[in-house]
Amino acid sequence: NVAIDIGAITATFSEPVQGVDQESFRVNDGDDNVGGSVSLSSDGLTATFDPTSDLQYSTTYTATLATTITDPANNALTVTDWSFTTGAAPDTNAPTIAVPQDMTVEATGPDGAQVSFEEEPSATDGVDGQVDVTCDYSSGDTFPIGETVVRCSAEDAAGNTAEETFTVTIQDTTEPDVEITQTTDRRNRVLGEGDTTPTPYIRITFEATDAVG
C-alpha cells in the first residue's frame, strides 16, 4: 500500500522488512532522482521517503523499491514501483479586466445623459476563463454632468480580485435656442414681421431655452 502526503512518500509492507535506505527506496521525476532521506519505522512495516525540497507542481514522479529490501528470512522484495502526479500550482493570478475607453458625451437634460458603452466590460482568468464583472454603473445608465469614474471588479474561483476604471464625462457645450418673442416700438405698439414704425426706438424681447437648464 502507498500513501502520499505533503512532503513525504510512504510504503507499507505486509511484514517487517530490512535493507531500506536511499539506494533501495528512490523517487525519480523522469529525468533525475529526487534528493531526500529514507527511514524505516521501528516495527519495520513502513518506509518513508522525505524529499529535501518541495516536489514540483504538475509533475509525474516514480517511486521504486529495490530487491535489496528483504524480510527477516532474507527473501528479497520483488522490484516494485508506482507513479503519481502532483497537483497544479495554486492560482495566485488575478483576472484581467477589459473596460471601455474613457468617453465624453453631450448632456441631453439637467440630469445629464444616458450613456451606452462602446463595449461591455469583461474579465478573463488564466484558470477559470471568463469570469463575471461587476461595475458600479451599467451601459444605458444616466450619468450626471461632470466626470464619473466607473469602477469594475472581478474575482476568480481562487479568490483573486482585480479592478479597473474608466471615466465618463458628461458635458454641456450646446448653445441655448434663442427666439424673439416680441418686438415693440416706443409707443408700445407690437410689431409683427414686416411691420414698420416711425419711431427710432424698438424693444426686442428674446427667450432662450437650454436642454440642461
Side-chain angles (χ1 to χ4, degrees), residues 119-205:
E119 60 176 311
E120 288 292 337
S122 61
T124 304
D125 185 72
V127 175
D128 303 325
Q130 292 289 330
V131 295
D132 293 336
V133 179
T134 301
C135 301
D136 47 17
Y137 280 86
S138 300
S139 182
D141 285 350
T142 297
F143 286 74
I145 295 174
E147 290 188 355
T148 299
V149 177
V150 181
R151 290 179 170 80
C152 298
S153 60
E155 180 176 355
D156 64 18
N160 302 305
T161 60
E163 182 178 286
E164 289 289 344
T165 64
F166 63 99
T167 301
V168 175
T169 301
I170 305 300
Q171 63 181 10
D172 177 21
T173 61
T174 304
E175 297 179 354
D177 292 327
V178 179
E179 180 183 3
I180 297 175
T181 58
Q182 190 177 63
T183 303
T184 58
D185 61 14
R186 186 182 293 274
R187 299 172 183 173
N188 289 326
R189 184 167 67 93
V190 176
L191 302 176
E193 183 177 356
D195 288 347
T196 60
T197 177
T199 64
Y201 167 86
I202 59 173
R203 175 184 294 153
I204 301 175
T205 303

Side-chain angles (χ1 to χ4, degrees), residues 6-213:
I6 297 175
I9 301 99
T10 63
T12 303
F13 303 94
S14 60
E15 61 177 322
V17 297
Q18 55 195 5
V20 176
D21 55 26
Q22 289 179 325
E23 294 299 320
S24 61
F25 190 176
R26 295 184 179 184
V27 176
N28 187 283
D29 63 6
D31 294 317
D32 300 297
N33 287 328
V34 176
S37 59
V38 175
S39 61
L40 183 66
S41 62
S42 58
D43 59 8
L45 294 175
T46 303
T48 301
F49 183 98
D50 191 9
T52 54
S53 60
D54 292 339
L55 300 182
Q56 298 298 310
Y57 294 110
S58 302
T59 301
T60 298
Y61 292 87
T62 299
T64 302
L65 298 174
T67 58
T68 52
I69 299 174
T70 63
D71 65 10
N74 286 324
N75 296 307
L77 177 74
T78 302
V79 174
T80 302
D81 59 43
W82 66 94
S83 297
F84 60 92
T85 301
T86 52
D91 177 13
T92 59
N93 295 320
T96 299
I97 302 177
V99 296
Q101 296 291 322
D102 294 346
M103 59 185 71
T104 300
V105 178
E106 189 70 16
T108 58
D111 293 331
Q114 188 179 54
V115 177
S116 296
F117 300 158
E118 295 177 357
E119 60 176 311
E120 288 292 337
S122 61
T124 304
D125 185 72
V127 175
D128 303 325
Q130 292 289 330
V131 295
D132 293 336
V133 179
T134 301
C135 301
D136 47 17
Y137 280 86
S138 300
S139 182
D141 285 350
T142 297
F143 286 74
I145 295 174
E147 290 188 355
T148 299
V149 177
V150 181
R151 290 179 170 80
C152 298
S153 60
E155 180 176 355
D156 64 18
N160 302 305
T161 60
E163 182 178 286
E164 289 289 344
T165 64
F166 63 99
T167 301
V168 175
T169 301
I170 305 300
Q171 63 181 10
D172 177 21
T173 61
T174 304
E175 297 179 354
D177 292 327
V178 179
E179 180 183 3
I180 297 175
T181 58
Q182 190 177 63
T183 303
T184 58
D185 61 14
R186 186 182 293 274
R187 299 172 183 173
N188 289 326
R189 184 167 67 93
V190 176
L191 302 176
E193 183 177 356
D195 288 347
T196 60
T197 177
T199 64
Y201 167 86
I202 59 173
R203 175 184 294 153
I204 301 175
T205 303
F206 299 90
E207 183 179 273
T209 57
D210 187 81
V212 174

